[in-house]
Amino acid sequence: MGVEGIGARVVRKEDKRFITGKGRYVDDIKLVGMTHAHFIRSPHAHAKVKGIDSSAALKMPGVVAVLTGREIVDDKVGNLICGWAITSKDGSPMKMGAWPAMAPETVRFVGQAVAVVIAESKNLARDAAEAVAVDYEELPAVADVQAAIKSGAPQLHPEAPGNQVYDWVIGDEGATDAAFAKAANVVKLDVTNNRLAPNAMEPRAAIADYDAAEEHFTLYTTSQNPHVARLVLSAFYNIAPEHKLRVIAPDVGGGFGSKIFIYPEEMVALWASKKVGRPVKWTGDRTEAFLTDAHGRDHVTHAEMAFDANNKITGFKVKTYANFGAYMSLFSSSVPTYLYATLLSGQYNIPAIHAEVIGVYTNTTPVDAYRGAGRPEASYLIERLMETAARQLKVDPAELRRTNFITQFPHQTPVIMAYDTGDFNASLDAAMKAIDYAGFAARKAQAKSQGKLRGIGVSCYIEACGIAPSKAVGSLGAGVGLWESAEVRVNPVGTIEILTGSHSHGQGHETTFCQLVADRLGVPISQVSIVHGDTDKVQFGMGTYGSRSAAVGLTAILKAMEKMESKAKKIAAHALEASEADIVIENGEFKVTGTDKAIALPMVALAAYTAHNLPDGMEPGLKESAFYDPTNFTFPAGTYICELEVDPGTGKTSFVDFVAADDFGRLINPMIVEGQVHGGLVQGIGQALLEHAIYDANGQPVTASFMDYAMPRADDVPSFNLSHTTTLCPGNPLGIKGCGEAGAIGASAAVINAITDAIGKNNLEMPATPDRVWRTINAA
Amino acid sequence: MYQTTYHRASSVDEAASLFAKGSESKFLAGGQTLLPVMKQRLASPSDVIDLGKIKELQGVELSGDTLTIKAATIYYDIMTNADVKKAIPAIAYLTSVLGDPAVRYRGTIGGSIANNDPAADFPAALLALGATVKTNKRSISAEDFFQGLFTTALEDGEIITAVSFPVPAKAGYEKMRHPASRFALTGVFVAQTKSGEVRVAATGASQSGVMRVPAIEAALKANWSPSAIDGVSISASGLLADIHGTAEYRANLIKVMAQRAVAAAR
């Protein structure tokens, strides 16, 4: 592997610029003649926009324009789309209301934009925005998913009667009912998966620059997938054809899914820059992030699991209400369906599963993919249910899981997924050993003598990453393919540029992707650079989400590398007068195996570009590209066990230990993988203990700042004890599964299982705030 | 932030006269409340008069049984001050758990009590210790100074110069932190004066701001021990309730934090 190859703990190349303040984020970019946008947003959850009077604002200093929702609709900028078509159980397509970039008539959530002020500075735009008078007629609003489906509830969109977007089912209902009819035991559970606000460190931002002479737009934006942004802006929003629109996503400070989507602000900035003839910049503040970044989760679920007399699961029934907010965001429809219900088999052999998912509109911020996207909801449900079952059936929770583990691979679940490989016993064993599961009872007794309630909680998660293949997702309703592209450019002096359609917004691609090159060619990573995030530089790409960059993006690079190496070997063989089959690549040299004859990579590259002495018929140059479409998802899996204490006086939880035994397949950079797991675990713990995006009954957000929305801080989380039990993914040549979301998927159930174990009561919703835990302890 | 005019005063008198000249003046101490509020455009003072560099407002003095902390002394300087640690270690502890390091390097005792946030830590210390607030015009007892949420006895333009604490026999402070803001969800300061009086004050709990807790005072007067509070019943009526703590939970916290403060009292 070498010191910088696959498996090496290489320090991140990109961190020098990040930690010395030299990162280049959208807000750092200043264009000549740039103006600044400030949005005027609805203070009401549901209202008619009766009029907008901008006459006073237009007279204020530095104001360039005030533009409204009516104008953007009149200019035929397209409504926002949802890119995954879901079909209800009655065969009808999902029912969607229109989502214009700014509301011309009706606002449906607090924070929805109705107009924008363009001014010479950010402050002047803000000053003028206060002088714009918007006349609203308030309408009744509904924020809660169960209130929204009741008859007589306020209605959001005429296209979606009863606020229902779809009623979708998966699995075999007859077989599942039959399993329940014969069950020895049935375990039931109601769970709420709390709504979360993503809170990337960098708020969203955009700069749009229209060149009237070329009729060409450039958009700098905080995107996880600039090519998808360009595609959607061109194909659906009528901004400009693709060759007249360049999208650049420079350094981006975290996304967690929230920066996958194309938002109204980018559309308005592009449209406005053409209208005013000058570049337009918008940088969101934290309040805008809380109000307008797509939220995550927000499910209400009833589930029942059937067991036979040997505690084997025989059937699983799930009914979930998913809150979509006021509009269908770009991939929202797929999250509670194909990214959630297809994972309901968990790590277990379940012969029959039936799930029904009802998607619902409410007067809240739109909900879409957030770290894990559907899989945390599935994993939390299954693992809470397994714990509940163990308590009800009076068996050890780890043993109940072991009894039901899938042990033969490949394994076809009843809900589409075909697990390719895994070893669930290995990760459970590793985690139990790491936390000394056997010694827990003694530790619990010891804690009790000190007035503390100690608990232990297990969570055995499985997830699906690298969503694929394109043909399969297309058949399920996806509007895009889910492959990745890469290009390898060997420069004439032998340095290497890798162009990738993946996008790094904190993941460390600039290091890990170089490690593959170092591994194959034996060159230092300092000779390799990664180019990403610019539609003018990279041919195309599907971006970064769903833990896909290594499994899909890096495999595309590998495919391009193989093509490049094949050509380079031909050039080397020609120069060394050897057979191509005898050429091996070592330490940056092309060698004739078993001899001391060698030619260095720079000389091969130079030969390719001088073209003075190439094999007959060979094209000059050394540059290859590849598109890679996987054959299946990958299936990272593992066991998390959490041990904690609850203070009965305050309900406060303190961690004692947290172990994670993950199977991610091959690790490229274990240090970066550990960082990903740490971050994911913190987000999972955040959901379990702290985070909750709350609305009051009228749709007013209660948690629109960090004073109310509790983000996890360093002292809220324990030191993590990580390990890996590896089965290589057979679906890609590197054996990679993906690691970006696992922590957020598996951690929440481990925490809640541990708290409920500690307090001896099974029903406890997230977030398990001290108040909620204390009230649960003291409930009759 | 709206346009404003910034003044750096070099004396209390200069600050008072600058304040009088502005149409809507505000004093700035550590800026831990005023600046965020201004950034949110929820306050638009015409003039901001910075008290932070006034020498006569800096420092700590221990004289006999009186500990005096000047108004613009930052939390960090309070928590690390040898006289504070010796005379009233509970104040050093309270300051060490107040906010986060950034807040402790900027925030001041005068700013905290002038703002009188219902979840701030210092009002509980002042009330429990029977402190006196000194201003450029008069002396005000803590009892009279705090007058409900964000309301104090300060008159327009009046400047806090110092807080004087009688050194107690014993004092302790414990709080449950608000999970998001890290203010006190409920904090309780207990004190036993040298004359044997017991005073207990809770912050973060009441809809009327910092408050004495007579039931716990009576129990501790009879028996200064955590278990003395076991039988005390605290009513949830009139207590704050929000997404992080119901009124019943805060009522419980008053008891539990009082018990822990007694256990920690020195």
Side-chain angles (χ1 to χ4, degrees):
Chain A
M1 75 176 191
V3 292
E4 293 182 332
I6 289 174
R9 304 174 72 90
V10 180
V11 171
R12 296 183 3 145
K13 288 172 77 173
E14 48 268 72
D15 283 348
K16 184 173 178 186
R17 74 173 188 276
F18 293 149
I19 64 181
T20 57
K22 301 294 182 191
R24 187 172 159 85
Y25 298 88
V26 172
D27 193 55
D28 295 322
I29 296 166
K30 292 173 177 65
L31 302 182
V32 175
M34 189 167 76
T35 63
H36 299 264
H38 185 82
F39 284 89
I40 296 160
R41 301 185 181 279
S42 171
H44 306 296
H46 199 188
K48 288 263 178 237
V49 181
K50 298 186 73 179
I52 297 176
D53 180 0
S54 50
S55 53
L58 284 167
K59 290 182 199 130
M60 290 176 68
V63 174
V64 176
V66 178
L67 305 172
T68 66
R70 174 54 59 204
E71 289 166 87
I72 200 167
V73 170
D74 287 348
D75 280 356
K76 303 202 164 25
V77 171
N79 291 327
L80 279 83
I81 61 157
C82 179
W84 196 310
I86 299 292
T87 304
S88 284
K89 65 181 181 184
D90 65 4
S92 64
M94 63 183 186
K95 299 177 173 64
M96 291 207 333
W99 185 7
M102 294 192 289
E105 283 171 6
T106 309
V107 287
R108 294 182 177 86
F109 66 95
V110 172
Q112 186 173 7
V114 296
V116 64
V117 177
I118 312 291
E120 298 292 345
S121 79
K122 202 171 169 170
N123 257 336
L124 290 170
R126 255 185 111 165
D127 287 346
E130 290 177 10
V132 176
V134 185
D135 183 14
Y136 293 102
E137 179 192 329
E138 274 193 79
L139 298 170
V142 63
D144 178 76
V145 69
Q146 283 167 317
I149 54 170
K150 289 209 173 97
S151 68
Q155 299 291 299
L156 272 81
H157 299 279
E159 297 87 346
N163 296 320
Q164 187 173 299
V165 179
Y166 55 64
D167 182 349
W168 174 90
V169 290
I170 190 170
D172 186 335
E173 189 170 18
T176 309
D177 285 344
F180 275 83
K182 285 189 290 185
N185 290 293
V186 172
V187 178
K188 301 178 183 181
L189 188 68
D190 289 291
V191 298
T192 299
N193 203 287
N194 42 322
R195 176 185 283 240
L196 305 176
N199 280 317
M201 200 182 293
E202 180 204 20
R204 288 189 296 114
I207 303 172
D209 183 12
Y210 179 66
D211 178 338
E214 299 290 337
E215 297 182 341
H216 179 279
F217 291 90
T218 303
L219 174 67
Y220 303 85
T221 185
T222 47
S223 175
Q224 299 178 213
N225 35 228
H227 288 86
V228 175
R230 186 184 64 166
L231 169 65
V232 173
L233 289 163
S234 292
F236 299 100
Y237 299 162
N238 307 327
I239 298 293
E242 282 170 300
H243 67 299
K244 294 292 186 184
L245 173 58
R246 177 183 184 185
V247 178
I248 300 170
D251 283 332
V252 173
F256 312 111
S258 71
K259 293 173 183 169
I260 296 172
F261 325 115
I262 293 86
Y263 285 90
E265 290 84 359
E266 291 103 272
M267 298 164 65
V268 171
L270 285 160
W271 167 72
S273 81
K274 185 174 178 181
K275 280 237 164 322
V276 304
R278 292 171 62 184
V280 174
K281 177 190 251 185
W282 170 76
T283 302
D285 62 22
R286 187 55 63 184
T287 306
E288 288 179 298
F290 274 109
L291 296 179
T292 67
D293 292 4
H295 288 175
R297 323 281 191 252
D298 207 343
H299 284 191
V300 175
T301 295
H302 175 76
E304 300 187 10
M305 198 173 260
F307 288 85
D308 70 12
N310 299 316
N311 295 333
K312 291 256 192 196
I313 306 167
T314 55
F316 189 22
K317 267 198 282 208
V318 174
K319 185 169 188 178
T320 293
Y321 294 92
N323 189 340
F324 284 132
Y327 298 97
M328 293 300 287
S329 176
L330 190 62
F331 290 110
S332 57
S333 56
S334 65
V335 175
T337 49
Y338 291 109
L339 297 180
Y340 164 71
T342 55
L343 271 304
L344 285 172
S345 199
Q347 296 191 356
Y348 311 111
N349 202 336
I350 306 180
I353 299 176
H354 183 258
E356 178 174 16
V357 179
I358 295 153
V360 179
Y361 277 127
T362 61
N363 293 108
T364 61
T365 298
V367 177
D368 205 324
Y370 167 62
R371 201 170 192 171
R375 291 153 291 164
E377 296 91 316
S379 184
Y380 181 72
L381 175 67
I382 299 160
E383 291 307 292
R384 282 291 293 128
L385 198 45
M386 290 304 280
E387 203 74 20
T388 304
R391 289 168 190 167
Q392 190 174 317
L393 302 173
K394 300 197 176 355
V395 292
D396 179 80
E399 211 42 53
L400 181 67
R401 288 173 170 88
R402 209 184 283 285
T403 304
N404 287 284
F405 275 160
I406 294 161
T407 53
Q408 302 289 320
F409 296 92
H411 174 88
Q412 177 63 53
T413 73
V415 278
I416 297 181
M417 291 300 179
Y419 299 163
D420 49 8
T421 186
D423 186 344
F424 305 146
N425 276 305
S427 47
L428 178 61
D429 289 342
M432 289 171 73
K433 185 160 179 251
I435 206 157
D436 183 19
Y437 191 85
F440 173 73
R443 298 195 295 277
K444 186 179 176 82
Q446 169 72 20
K448 194 176 177 188
S449 72
Q450 290 160 0
K452 293 291 168 71
L453 306 173
R454 190 173 282 216
I456 196 164
V458 177
S459 171
C460 299
Y461 76 91
I462 187 165
E463 56 146 335
C465 292
I467 177 170
S470 298
K471 193 175 166 183
V473 297
S475 75
L476 300 176
V480 291
L482 288 162
W483 42 266
E484 195 46 84
S485 87
E487 188 176 318
V488 175
R489 290 183 191 164
V490 182
N491 296 318
V493 290
T495 57
I496 297 160
E497 288 168 289
I498 302 289
L499 289 79
T500 172
S502 297
H503 184 271
S504 183
H505 33 281
Q507 293 89 344
H509 295 169
E510 290 171 42
T511 305
T512 46
F513 288 6
C514 290
Q515 287 182 248
L516 173 72
V517 179
D519 198 77
R520 295 189 66 85
L521 303 181
V523 299
I525 61 171
S526 60
Q527 291 189 21
V528 187
S529 67
I530 303 297
V531 178
H532 69 93
D534 185 339
T535 59
D536 265 14
K537 292 181 180 168
V538 178
Q539 56 188 357
F540 207 90
M542 296 312 298
T544 288
Y545 39 82
S547 309
R548 71 194 299 273
S549 293
V552 188
L554 193 60
T555 306
I557 295 172
L558 173 69
K559 299 284 182 190
M561 285 288 292
E562 285 171 348
K563 290 186 194 174
M564 182 280 292
E565 289 162 19
S566 169
K567 182 172 181 180
K569 281 183 179 174
K570 288 190 177 72
I571 297 169
H574 183 72
L576 296 168
E577 296 178 340
S579 161
E580 189 191 331
D582 292 337
I583 302 291
V584 292
I585 308 174
E586 278 173 16
N587 300 322
E589 290 185 326
F590 290 72
K591 291 181 178 165
V592 182
T593 186
T595 75
D596 59 357
K597 283 169 63 177
I599 178 170
L601 173 66
M603 299 310 292
V604 174
L606 197 60
Y609 286 96
T610 59
H612 294 163
N613 184 23
L614 291 177
D616 286 346
M618 179 182 278
E619 288 179 13
L622 195 53
K623 175 177 94 90
E624 298 289 346
S625 67
F627 284 70
Y628 169 67
D629 196 352
T631 54
N632 192 359
F633 288 82
T634 66
F635 296 97
T639 293
Y640 297 158
I641 306 182
C642 165
E643 185 169 329
L644 48 73
E645 284 182 355
V646 173
D647 177 343
T650 63
K652 188 168 167 54
T653 297
S654 307
F655 288 98
V656 177
D657 203 355
F658 198 112
V659 303
D662 291 297
D663 179 356
F664 296 138
R666 190 180 312 283
L667 310 183
I668 306 298
N669 183 325
M671 181 196 73
I672 290 178
V673 169
E674 286 165 10
Q676 286 281 347
V677 176
H678 284 177
L681 290 172
V682 170
Q683 282 176 315
I685 290 170
Q687 172 163 30
L689 294 181
L690 297 159
E691 297 184 54
H692 194 186
I694 300 174
Y695 289 84
D696 73 13
N698 299 317
Q700 284 293 329
V702 179
T703 48
S705 86
F706 288 133
M707 291 297 280
D708 300 300
Y709 187 92
M711 284 295 280
R713 290 155 160 99
D715 65 352
D716 288 316
V717 297
S719 278
F720 299 110
N721 177 350
L722 308 187
S723 64
H724 301 282
T725 60
T726 300
T727 59
L728 293 179
C729 174
N732 61 66
L734 292 164
I736 293 169
K737 296 185 180 180
C739 66
E741 298 160 292
I745 290 167
S748 307
V751 174
I752 300 298
N753 286 341
I755 298 175
T756 51
D757 179 53
I759 65 176
K761 297 204 173 170
N762 192 59
N763 290 331
L764 177 69
E765 295 290 12
M766 298 190 290
T769 60
D771 177 21
R772 185 172 272 170
V773 172
W774 177 81
R775 280 185 284 123
T776 305
I777 291 170
N778 291 291
Chain B
M1 197 183 284
Y2 294 105
Q3 295 273 344
T4 189
T5 305
Y6 171 86
H7 309 268
R8 177 176 286 173
S10 55
S11 70
V12 172
D13 288 346
E14 189 197 358
S17 88
L18 284 167
F19 187 95
K21 282 182 200 154
S23 60
E24 256 187 80
S25 299
K26 277 272 185 194
F27 290 120
L28 173 71
Q32 298 305 292
T33 301
L34 180 61
L35 294 184
V37 167
M38 287 174 68
K39 285 182 183 173
Q40 297 258 356
R41 296 188 160 220
L42 299 172
S44 52
S46 61
D47 297 78
V48 170
I49 294 112
D50 188 348
L51 307 173
K53 301 287 186 233
I54 298 175
K55 285 215 168 60
E56 60 197 288
L57 295 181
Q58 298 287 339
V60 176
E61 285 166 12
L62 179 61
S63 168
D65 269 347
T66 303
L67 179 76
T68 300
I69 304 176
K70 306 285 185 62
T73 311
I74 60 167
Y75 302 132
Y76 179 80
D77 289 343
I78 298 171
M79 81 187 222
T80 53
N81 183 278
D83 285 338
V84 173
K85 288 201 252 185
K86 187 177 92 183
I88 316 181
I91 286 187
Y93 172 73
L94 173 149
T95 319
S96 75
V97 296
L98 193 162
D100 55 28
V103 170
R104 293 195 287 272
Y105 273 99
R106 279 281 175 194
T108 68
I109 183 171
S112 171
I113 62 172
N115 188 49
N116 193 18
D117 188 301
D121 298 281
F122 258 113
L126 267 69
L127 197 55
L129 290 166
T132 303
V133 179
K134 306 278 174 79
T135 78
N136 58 340
K137 293 180 178 166
R138 57 192 167 140
S139 291
I140 311 167
S141 74
E143 218 87 55
D144 294 335
F145 182 83
F146 298 110
Q147 301 189 344
L149 305 188
F150 300 103
T151 310
T152 68
L154 288 173
E155 287 162 9
D156 199 36
E158 190 172 6
I159 299 170
I160 301 170
T161 56
V163 181
S164 289
F165 296 93
V167 174
K170 275 182 180 176
Y173 181 67
E174 287 296 331
K175 70 169 166 179
M176 184 72 186
R177 290 177 188 211
H178 184 289
S181 72
R182 297 288 178 101
F183 273 81
L185 193 62
T186 289
V188 177
F189 202 105
V190 299
Q192 194 179 45
T193 68
K194 289 197 167 168
S195 62
E197 190 192 357
V198 173
R199 295 171 64 98
V200 175
T203 188
S206 167
Q207 292 171 12
S208 320
V210 65
M211 64 169 186
R212 298 272 295 271
V213 192
I216 292 179
E217 289 176 351
L220 289 175
K221 174 89 181 163
N223 173 15
W224 178 267
S225 79
S227 61
I229 303 168
D230 283 344
V232 174
S233 169
I234 303 289
S235 166
S237 155
L239 297 190
L240 290 164
D242 57 34
I243 57 171
H244 292 287
T246 51
E248 293 73 23
Y249 181 61
R250 282 183 161 91
N252 169 66
L253 286 180
I254 291 173
K255 264 181 78 169
V256 174
M257 291 302 125
Q259 288 178 313
R260 292 177 188 183
V262 170
R266 284 189 288 150

